[in-house]
């Protein structure tokens, strides 16, 4: 997920905020819901959905949990 964020910030270095996801696992299927999104980037949300879909969670039959992801701006300001 960090790699996805870093890819997106190459074109938008001012992107920052926090995402809170709710992952619901039921019989091996994982659903991702975004409970909080102060980043506001649909491309990042889609990349996170794809990343979570690739996780191997087959051993978990049923679960629901929240994950908070704080993202800080990677913008660097240099003094002259």
């Amino acid at each position: 997920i960090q790699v996805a964020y870093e890819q997106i910030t190459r074109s938008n270095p001012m992107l920052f905020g926090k995402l809170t996801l709710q992952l619901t696992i039921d019989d091996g299927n994982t659903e991702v819901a975004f409970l909080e999104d102060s980043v506001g980037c649909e491309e990042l949300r889609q990349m996170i959905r794809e990343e979570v879909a690739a996780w191997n969670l087959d051993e978990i039959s049923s679960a629901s949990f929240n994950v908070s992801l704080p993202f800080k701006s990677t913008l660097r300001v240099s003094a002259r």
Side-chain angles (χ1 to χ4, degrees):
I1 291 175
Q2 183 65 33
V3 171
Y5 177 72
E6 290 171 359
Q7 287 175 352
I8 290 173
T9 57
R10 286 186 192 122
S11 62
N12 186 353
M14 296 293 292
L15 197 67
F16 67 95
K18 178 177 155 185
L19 289 171
T20 301
L21 317 176
Q22 180 177 46
L23 304 179
T24 304
I25 303 165
D26 188 22
D27 292 329
N29 297 314
T30 305
E31 291 184 28
V32 178
F34 294 90
L35 303 178
E36 177 184 355
D37 179 2
S38 64
V39 179
C41 179
E42 178 57 36
E43 184 179 3
L44 178 60
R45 288 192 301 268
Q46 184 58 37
M47 291 175 86
I48 289 171
R49 282 186 200 99
E50 291 169 4
E51 179 66 28
V52 171
W55 293 352
N56 183 358
L57 303 173
D58 293 340
E59 293 185 21
I60 303 172
S61 61
S62 180
S64 180
F65 51 94
N66 296 344
V67 179
S68 290
L69 305 170
F71 296 107
K72 295 181 181 177
S73 174
T74 57
L75 181 65
R76 303 280 190 257
V77 178
S78 61
R80 294 196 183 242

